[in-house]
Amino acid sequence: MPAEQLTVQDLSEAELLARIFPRLHRSPGVLLGPGDDAALVAAPDGRTLISIDTQTQDQDFRLEWSNGYRTTGYDVGWKAAAQNLSDINAMGGTATSLVVSLTMPPETHVEWVEAFADGLTAAIVGLGATDCSVAGGDLGRGRELAVTVAVVGTLAGEAPVLRSGAKSGDIVAVSGTLGRAAAGWALLESDVPLGSLSTGLRSLVDNQCRPLPPLASGPVAARAGATAMLDISDGLLRDGSRLAEASSVVLDFDPVALKMHAEPLEAAAALLGREAMRWVLGGGEDHALLATFPAEIQLPPGFTAIGSVQAVVEPPGSGVRIAGQTADTVGWDHFAD
């Protein structure tokens, strides 16, 4: 049978793993990788950061989109790595290993699984997380594709940056892009044919399918004295409100600074009859970093100021504002959307 026609039900688990393992990135931090019942990972810091995330077909991605785009295994592998690497980054740490669980229908093509492994490695290397390896995982059979990734990271002797440390008078800053992945999602869900998109609009689709979290920025922010930080996975306002609540403060965003993030999205917004600012405020899958810094320090490279931290002086309490006005916390909710 030609390789492109093979499905996972045509191979044993051992044969499928033999196609996956050579495609995975290896780093010295994993002392014992795939092949045993558990991996052995070095933890020289004595502390370990750990996080986990899941992507499910037709909830987090579609195999075929309304505009004609077909999600590849490479896309899903890249995104699975990127969103988990970003969680470690948001704590000021560096990822050292991933453990991956892939559930798939028996008719899934083997080349899709191989592309998935390639996407994992490409994201790890391409995003600069070369100290991270895929240490192991699991393959399973199910009715739909689902990917769960657990990520482990190190703080390299530094203190973690939490959501709860923002202080009144701090500067609110962001590293990475806002709204591009949300605009890409809207294009994917539209009836505008993929082939008709300009290079600029097509790049928004790429931002959704293969996000580019600023992985160098987390440790840099921690060393520079960031007081609080998180990964913007569910939208600037929704995640900003989480940081504000954890720190018992108000985040007041500058509309002029936010407009700079909206301007590159105006062409997509005009095409679809949408508002670019809604993507900036509610779109989170760019996996940018939202951080707060003492006002007296210079912002580290990669960060730009978008607001300030204020004390809670009156109802409705902690939360987010735009130019002093209460903002509707639009954003992604996994159980409501």
Side-chain angles (χ1 to χ4, degrees), residues 13 17 21 26 30-41 99 134-138:
E13 183 176 3
L17 289 172
F21 288 164
R26 306 291 177 87
V30 174
L31 305 179
L32 180 65
D36 281 81
D37 291 317
L40 182 62
V41 180
V99 178
V134 178
D138 184 54

Side-chain angles (χ1 to χ4, degrees), residues 158 169 215:
E158 301 289 337
L215 296 187

Side-chain angles (χ1 to χ4, degrees), residues 77-87 123 127 210-213 215 287:
W78 179 292
K79 192 169 185 177
Q83 64 188 17
N84 281 275
L85 295 170
S86 184
D87 284 335
L127 296 173
R210 303 176 190 178
L212 302 171
L215 296 187
H287 295 287

Side-chain angles (χ1 to χ4, degrees), residues 42-64:
D45 181 84
R47 300 168 299 168
T48 297
L49 293 169
I50 186 167
S51 185
I52 192 168
D53 212 333
T54 296
Q55 290 186 79
T56 303
Q57 179 184 337
D58 294 329
Q59 174 68 19
D60 301 288
F61 66 91
R62 305 191 197 289
L63 292 179
E64 295 188 20

Side-chain angles (χ1 to χ4, degrees), residues 83-169:
Q83 64 188 17
N84 281 275
L85 295 170
S86 184
D87 284 335
I88 299 299
N89 188 44
M91 301 291 288
T94 301
T96 55
S97 63
L98 303 174
V99 178
V100 182
S101 174
L102 176 60
T103 300
M104 53 200 156
E107 63 271 18
T108 303
H109 286 278
V110 170
E111 63 179 0
W112 194 98
V113 182
E114 292 175 337
F116 171 79
D118 289 340
L120 286 171
T121 289
I124 290 169
V125 175
L127 296 173
T130 52
D131 289 335
C132 183
S133 292
V134 178
D138 184 54
L139 298 177
R141 175 172 174 158
R143 288 176 295 180
E144 59 193 10
L145 284 163
V147 182
T148 296
V149 176
V151 59
V152 172
T154 180
L155 290 162
E158 301 289 337
V161 184
L162 310 181
R163 301 179 179 188
S164 54
K167 304 286 192 300
S168 177

Side-chain angles (χ1 to χ4, degrees), residues 271-331:
L271 177 66
L272 300 178
R274 307 284 285 275
E275 294 181 34
M277 187 57 73
R278 296 287 291 183
W279 291 330
V280 170
L281 299 177
E285 290 192 303
D286 295 276
H287 295 287
L289 288 182
L290 181 67
T292 59
F293 297 89
E296 64 271 15
I297 73 168
Q298 183 176 356
L299 290 179
F303 281 88
T304 57
I306 60 168
S308 61
V309 180
Q310 299 177 4
V312 176
V313 294
E314 60 183 20
S318 62
V320 290
R321 311 277 191 275
I322 299 177
Q325 300 299 309
T326 300
D328 174 26
T329 53
V330 296

Side-chain angles (χ1 to χ4, degrees), residues 135-209:
D138 184 54
L139 298 177
R141 175 172 174 158
R143 288 176 295 180
E144 59 193 10
L145 284 163
V147 182
T148 296
V149 176
V151 59
V152 172
T154 180
L155 290 162
E158 301 289 337
V161 184
L162 310 181
R163 301 179 179 188
S164 54
K167 304 286 192 300
S168 177
D170 283 353
I171 300 298
V172 180
V174 69
S175 178
T177 59
L178 298 174
R180 292 183 63 84
W185 179 282
L187 288 166
L188 287 165
E189 292 278 50
S190 77
D191 58 3
V192 179
L194 180 69
S196 71
L197 298 180
S198 66
T199 300
L201 293 175
R202 176 57 191 262
S203 71
L204 299 177
V205 171
D206 293 339
N207 282 125
Q208 168 57 227
C209 298

